[in-house]
């Protein structure tokens, strides 16, 4: 793609700043001798691509994953200092770096009373105990800083039963079946360290908190001045004791259960037929009237957790921010999750920082690198940041780029994001060579694994939608900022694993990555180049490379699903989709018209203020889809297109969910009133979006 340098932009931008644009929280006064690039410089882009070094990424990962770094632990704080040191380096550092601390509620197992799962015989004696720790197969699973497997935020208690109490479930045991993670393989010689599969003793830790953010300060930053909910009134915690176990221990329990066969969809790969109980088999390994005793001693603690921010000030538009982030904390060593992403974060910031310190380059817009704290407990660091700087971020953030687990596996790129980021990702990946043999671009390799047929572009790689699995969640759902998540992943034809097998276990180590996931770190380098190209295109391009017309395909798809799968039902209750049809058509027309205006301006020498206004329309479109009252039952979810969908129809989530609940109720019920309300919410959002895309003088 050819990019045209526009002369005179520096003067226009300086005049604009002189009119009184307020510099943002991250803006630093501009030095008189700072270079002021006017548009994306392809030579700089090529330099960055060449300098991103796979070996350096590998060494970053070795250091980051050397020790366990659970949120708020001493090693977590050591990594805070490591990031600050790198970002303040005189030769490769950034303009500034700072750490901010929040006091948040975390959950830990008791060190004095470990959580235990025992089988108790008829006389009360323990006849079998599940493993309390994972097998120390590489010498890294048995250290003092390896946290015992547990379910964060699950309450303490000592329920006793086989599979259910007489009057309800007393406690929950959770395990990862080898059918879901190991392609059915379960013997020690088939698993790590002999392959990438999870050993039988492996236990997936995790947070069982329903929401995200600090549990005591919903919608408020966890700073000293903020109101905190009384602990007795906190919602979102599991109601009963819960404990994860390995599939080796799960086999001992499930393969000895009595009762009727579990449904076919519940069967797994433990080598037996799963049954529902009650009680144990008379011919099994335990007496038939034995009980399972679960003792959970988790405790809640207020802890300090830090975010680290590194800032490169924009030369022309310092009050427009391109954010790039990943969390820092892990359950144990966390080589894949999250350190594979942090290793890339450090390498990207080193390359850009070196160019900055040499005076070779400064971006047009500000770039903010972020290392979030306490993500594993519920996206806490990123959520507190968005709460503290809500208005500023909404007004000034161009996009948020998330690279958490950068490499799940080494087959192909996988990108999740909102439709406007599709074009910038496609442009970036078409110019970067894919790892491995052959001469394919990342784009061409990607399309072989994940593709869709677009009515506009033909066959293209498919972008996944964003849920709430990483730190992009508060940016898209709460702030309405165009977001993306970038990673390399599996060949789905070769594995059925829902995620890399050692996820959240003590086996997620540097050697696991180095030997099985990405030998040579070429996939890490590919992700770094993709993310780096996207950052430069968003921060340096005169016209923002966000294509809002790509939302039209999503809206048209949602509309067609509503018409085909809900239309007849809605007609029965005198609800018309006509206003929705009109709203979608309005959006399509305005998006196309805006694209045409941009195309026309790109052919000339437009006034920088004109471009700034157009860029703001592109940047702010995502915000128009927010309605904080649309989903009162949800916390932080306000995006009417990407909120959680529980209904089976793949359409606007509020409409789908409301129709699912109302389907079997009578006309005139509250449930059908909610359907009408949700339809109105979507129509209003789409009309507002269309209005945002019109010429700014057209009120």
């Amino acid at each position: 793609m050819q990019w045209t340098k526009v002369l005179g932009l520096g003067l226009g931008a300086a005049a604009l700043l002189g009119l009184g644009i307020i510099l943002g929280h991250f803006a630093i006064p501009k030095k008189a001798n700072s270079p002021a690039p006017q548009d994306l410089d392809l030579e700089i882009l090529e330099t960055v691509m060449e300098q991103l070094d796979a070996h350096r990424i590998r060494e970053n990962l070795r250091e980051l994953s050397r020790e366990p770094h659970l949120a708020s632990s001493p090693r977590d704080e050591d990594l805070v200092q490591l990031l600050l040191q790198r970002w303040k380096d005189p030769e490769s550092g950034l303009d500034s770096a700072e750490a901010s601390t929040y006091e948040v509620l975390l959950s830990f197992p008791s060190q004095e009373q470990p959580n235990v799962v025992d089988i108790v015989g008829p006389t009360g004696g323990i006849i079998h105990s599940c493993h309390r720790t994972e097998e120390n197969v590489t010498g890294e699973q048995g250290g003092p800083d390896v946290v015992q497997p547990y379910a964060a935020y699950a309450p303490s208690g000592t329920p006793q039963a086989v599979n259910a109490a007489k009057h309800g479930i007393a406690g929950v045991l959770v395990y990862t079946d080898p059918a879901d993670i190991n392609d059915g393989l379960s013997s020690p010689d088939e698993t790590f360290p002999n392959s990438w599969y999870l050993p039988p003793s492996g236990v997936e830790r995790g947070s069982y908190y329903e929401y995200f953010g600090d549990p005591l300060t919903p919608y408020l930053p966890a700073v000293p001045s903020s109101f905190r909910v009384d602990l007795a009134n906190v919602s979102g915690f599991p109601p009963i004791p819960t404990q994860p176990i390995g599939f080796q221990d799960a086999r001992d329990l499930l393969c000895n259960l009595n009762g009727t066969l579990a449904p076919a969809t519940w069967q797994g790969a433990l080598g037996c037929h799963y049954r529902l109980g009650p009680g144990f088999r008379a011919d099994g390994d335990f007496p038939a009237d034995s009980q399972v005793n679960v003792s959970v001693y988790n405790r809640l603690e207020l802890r300090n957790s830090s975010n680290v921010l590194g800032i490169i000030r924009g030369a022309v538009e310092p009050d427009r921010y391109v954010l790039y982030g990943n969390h820092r904390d892990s359950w144990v060593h966390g080589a894949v999750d999250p350190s594979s992403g942090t290793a890339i974060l450090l390498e990207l910031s080193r390359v850009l920082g070196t160019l900055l310190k040499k005076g070779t380059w400064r971006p047009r817009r500000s770039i903010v690198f972020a290392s979030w704290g306490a993500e594993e407990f519920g996206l806490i660091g990123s959520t507190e940041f968005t709460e503290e700087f809500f208005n500023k971020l909404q007004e000034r953030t161009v996009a948020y780029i998330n690279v958490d687990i950068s490499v799940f596996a080494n087959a192909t790129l996988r990108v999740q994001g909102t439709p406007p980021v599709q074009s910038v990702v496609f442009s970036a990946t078409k110019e970067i060579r894919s790892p491995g043999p052959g001469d394919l671009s990342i784009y061409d390799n990607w399309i072989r694994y994940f593709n869709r047929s677009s009515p506009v572009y033909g066959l293209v790689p498919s972008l996944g939608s964003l849920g709430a699995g990483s730190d992009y969640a508060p940016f898209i759902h709460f702030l309405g900022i165009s977001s993306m998540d970038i990673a390399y992943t599996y060949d789905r034809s070769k594995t059925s694993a829902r995620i890399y097998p050692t996820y959240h276990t003590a086996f997620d180590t540097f050697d696991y990555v180095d030997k099985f996931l990405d030998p040579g770190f070429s996939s890490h380098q590919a992700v770094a180049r993709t993310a780096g190209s996207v950052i430069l295109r968003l921060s340096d391009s005169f016209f923002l490379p966000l294509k809002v017309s790509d939302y039209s395909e999503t809206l048209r798809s949602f509309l067609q699903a509503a018409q085909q799968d809900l239309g007849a039902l809605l007609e029965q209750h005198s609800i018309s989709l006509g206003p929705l049809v009109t709203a979608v058509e309005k959006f399509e027309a305005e998006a196309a018209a805006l694209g045409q205006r941009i195309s026309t301006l790109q052919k000339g020498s437009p006034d920088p203020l004109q471009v700034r206004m157009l860029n703001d329309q592109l940047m702010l479109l995502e915000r128009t889809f927010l309605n904080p009252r649309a989903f009162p039952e949800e916390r932080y979810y306000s995006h009417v297109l990407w909120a959680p969908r529980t209904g089976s129809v793949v359409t606007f989530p509020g409409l789908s969910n409301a129709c699912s609940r109302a389907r079997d109720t009578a006309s005139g019920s509250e449930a059908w009133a909610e359907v009408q309300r949700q339809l109105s919410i979507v129509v209003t959002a789409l009309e507002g979006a269309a209005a945002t895309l019109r010429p700014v003088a057209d009120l």
Side-chain angles (χ1 to χ4, degrees):
M1 180 180 293
Q2 298 297 317
W3 295 86
T4 305
K5 298 207 177 237
V6 181
L7 300 177
L9 178 57
L11 292 175
L16 182 59
L17 292 173
L19 291 174
I21 290 180
I22 301 173
L23 296 182
H25 175 68
F26 306 113
I28 303 169
K30 180 181 174 185
K31 295 180 181 178
N33 60 351
S34 295
Q38 313 308 311
D39 204 343
L40 178 67
D41 187 324
L42 294 180
E43 291 184 3
I44 290 292
L45 178 60
E46 183 61 29
T47 297
V48 171
M49 296 298 100
E50 291 174 353
Q51 292 185 359
L52 289 167
D53 190 304
H55 177 72
R56 287 179 180 271
I57 296 171
R58 182 178 184 270
E59 292 309 305
N60 286 342
L61 184 64
R62 187 196 298 275
E63 174 61 23
L64 291 165
S65 60
R66 181 165 51 85
E67 300 174 32
H69 44 287
L70 190 65
S72 77
S73 68
R75 178 59 178 169
D76 183 33
E77 180 57 31
D78 289 345
L79 295 184
V80 169
Q81 298 306 315
L82 183 149
L83 283 153
L84 289 172
Q85 178 187 355
R86 296 281 187 95
W87 289 347
K88 292 182 178 181
D89 186 275
E91 295 183 353
S92 61
L94 312 179
D95 284 323
S96 66
E98 61 183 30
S100 57
T101 301
Y102 300 98
E103 188 179 43
V104 298
L105 187 70
L106 304 182
S107 168
F108 302 97
S110 170
Q111 293 183 331
E112 297 76 25
Q113 288 184 294
N115 298 345
V116 295
V117 178
D118 298 319
I119 297 178
V120 180
T123 62
I126 296 175
I127 59 177
H128 180 81
S129 294
C130 293
H131 295 79
R132 298 184 185 183
T133 60
E134 290 151 305
E135 184 181 358
N136 192 8
V137 300
T138 66
E140 299 164 290
Q141 291 75 41
D145 296 326
V146 175
V147 68
Q148 176 197 7
Y150 75 113
Y153 298 109
S156 58
T158 55
Q160 181 169 298
V162 172
N163 61 331
K166 184 177 180 180
H167 298 293
I169 297 174
V172 174
L173 294 177
V174 182
Y175 82 103
T176 303
D177 199 281
D180 298 325
I181 207 80
N182 274 13
D183 295 321
L185 301 177
S186 60
S187 66
D189 63 338
E190 297 173 316
T191 61
F192 184 74
N194 300 308
S195 79
W196 85 317
Y197 292 118
L198 180 68
S201 67
V203 185
E204 184 179 322
R205 298 151 181 81
S207 173
Y208 286 66
Y209 179 47
E210 181 181 354
Y211 306 115
F212 44 90
D214 172 44
L216 298 183
T217 58
Y219 294 104
L220 297 171
V223 295
S225 61
S226 287
F227 168 79
R228 282 172 166 77
V229 177
D230 187 276
L231 193 57
N233 297 325
V234 172
S235 60
F237 292 162
I240 55 177
T242 303
Q243 176 65 22
I245 60 175
F247 66 75
Q248 177 180 358
D249 291 317
R251 179 189 290 119
D252 293 335
L253 298 176
L254 283 174
C255 292
N256 282 286
L257 276 183
N258 199 11
T260 59
L261 281 173
T265 54
W266 291 20
Q267 300 296 327
L270 293 180
C272 64
H273 295 295
Y274 299 0
R275 297 181 179 274
L276 300 177
F280 288 112
R281 298 188 344 250
D283 61 344
D285 296 335
F286 314 118
D289 51 356
S290 299
Q291 299 286 311
V292 177
N293 185 72
V294 181
S295 299
V296 176
Y297 301 103
N298 295 347
R299 62 188 183 212
L300 297 169
E301 296 183 26
L302 282 172
R303 293 280 190 94
N304 287 333
S305 179
S306 299
N307 293 335
V308 188
L309 301 178
I311 299 121
I312 299 177
R313 183 189 73 252
V316 181
E317 299 180 72
D319 61 331
R320 290 293 177 261
Y321 315 143
V322 176
L323 268 65
Y324 176 97
N326 178 35
H327 70 100
R328 182 183 60 259
D329 63 301
S330 66
W331 287 111
V332 194
H333 294 86
V336 184
D337 182 11
S339 299
S340 64
T342 306
I344 286 174
L345 173 73
L346 288 172
E347 176 62 1
L348 268 171
S349 60
R350 180 195 69 84
V351 171
L352 295 181
T354 300
L355 293 174
L356 182 73
K357 293 300 184 182
K358 288 181 176 178
T360 305
W361 164 86
R362 179 174 291 279
R364 179 185 182 85
R365 303 176 187 90
S366 295
I367 298 172
V368 181
F369 292 103
S371 172
W372 310 118
E375 185 267 1
E376 296 291 7
F377 288 84
L379 317 183
I380 289 178
S382 55
T383 302
E384 301 313 301
F385 177 75
T386 58
E387 290 168 335
E388 184 169 13
F389 300 107
F390 179 89
N391 290 324
K392 183 177 296 181
L393 293 170
Q394 269 205 328
E395 292 168 1
R396 303 174 184 177
T397 304
V398 170
Y400 175 71
I401 304 160
N402 196 70
V403 180
D404 182 345
I405 299 173
S406 68
V407 177
F408 292 86
N410 58 7
T412 180
L413 189 71
R414 182 231 65 188
V415 180
Q416 298 169 320
T418 51
V421 308
Q422 173 179 272
S423 62
V424 68
V425 174
F426 285 179
S427 295
T429 54
K430 287 177 180 178
E431 303 299 325
I432 305 169
R433 184 180 174 278
S434 175
D439 197 31
L440 291 177
S441 67
I442 289 178
Y443 179 93
D444 291 332
N445 184 64
W446 180 14
I447 207 171
R448 295 167 59 204
Y449 292 93
F450 300 103
N451 59 68
R452 67 180 181 89
S453 179
S454 163
V456 178
Y457 306 111
L459 192 69
V460 294
S462 55
L463 261 67
S465 58
L466 294 170
S470 191
D471 290 298
Y472 52 75
F475 289 94
I476 180 59
H477 297 300
F478 185 42
L479 297 185
I481 290 169
S482 292
S483 301
M484 70 189 82
D485 185 78
I486 303 173
Y488 243 68
T489 193
Y490 338 90
D491 178 349
R492 285 293 181 186
S493 69
K494 295 182 178 179
T495 179
S496 61
R498 64 174 175 84
I499 198 167
Y500 71 95
T502 64
Y503 176 69
H504 286 186
T505 73
F507 304 106
D508 181 357
T509 62
F510 173 79
D511 285 342
Y512 179 78
V513 177
D514 197 35
K515 187 175 181 181
F516 298 112
L517 256 64
D518 191 22
F521 280 68
S522 60
S523 294
H524 283 77
Q525 185 182 48
V527 173
R529 286 172 169 167
T530 300
S533 181
V534 169
I535 290 172
L536 286 173
R537 291 168 190 273
L538 288 169
S539 63
D540 277 349
S541 298
F542 188 24
F543 288 87
L544 278 178
L546 299 174
K547 195 166 185 179
V548 296
S549 60
D550 285 343
Y551 244 128
S552 297
E553 283 192 58
T554 298
L555 299 180
R556 178 60 59 176
S557 172
F558 281 4
L559 174 61
Q560 290 173 345
Q563 291 172 318
Q564 293 168 9
D565 299 327
L566 298 176
L569 177 67
L570 292 171
E571 283 184 10
Q572 293 173 14
H573 296 272
S574 302
I575 299 174
S576 172
L577 287 174
L580 182 60
V581 172
T582 301
V584 169
E585 290 173 347
K586 281 183 182 178
F587 180 90
E588 291 172 332
E590 296 298 344
L594 178 62
Q596 185 58 49
R597 292 197 299 277
I598 292 173
S599 179
T600 300
L601 282 175
Q602 286 175 324
K603 296 173 183 176
S605 299
D607 181 274
L609 184 55
Q610 273 187 301
V611 178
R612 168 85 170 199
M613 290 188 293
L614 283 170
N615 284 343
D616 280 357
Q617 289 177 279
L618 300 174
M619 180 183 77
L620 295 174
L621 171 69
E622 205 79 57
R623 322 294 197 263
T624 66
F625 296 120
L626 297 183
N627 186 325
R629 296 181 181 273
F631 313 106
E633 73 282 4
E634 302 284 356
R635 186 177 291 180
Y636 295 105
Y637 289 103
S638 55
H639 200 298
V640 302
L641 302 183
W642 305 120
R645 180 176 53 81
T646 57
S648 60
V649 180
V650 183
T651 184
F652 304 97
L655 180 62
S656 179
N657 300 345
C659 285
S660 179
R661 291 189 292 265
R663 187 176 294 272
D664 296 323
T665 67
S667 293
S669 67
E670 289 186 8
W672 281 108
E674 177 63 13
V675 171
Q676 292 177 313
R677 190 180 82 91
Q678 288 295 336
L679 185 58
S680 294
I681 286 171
V682 173
V683 169
T684 300
L686 295 182
E687 289 177 340
T692 296
L693 299 182
R694 293 189 194 111
V696 293
D698 182 2
L699 300 180

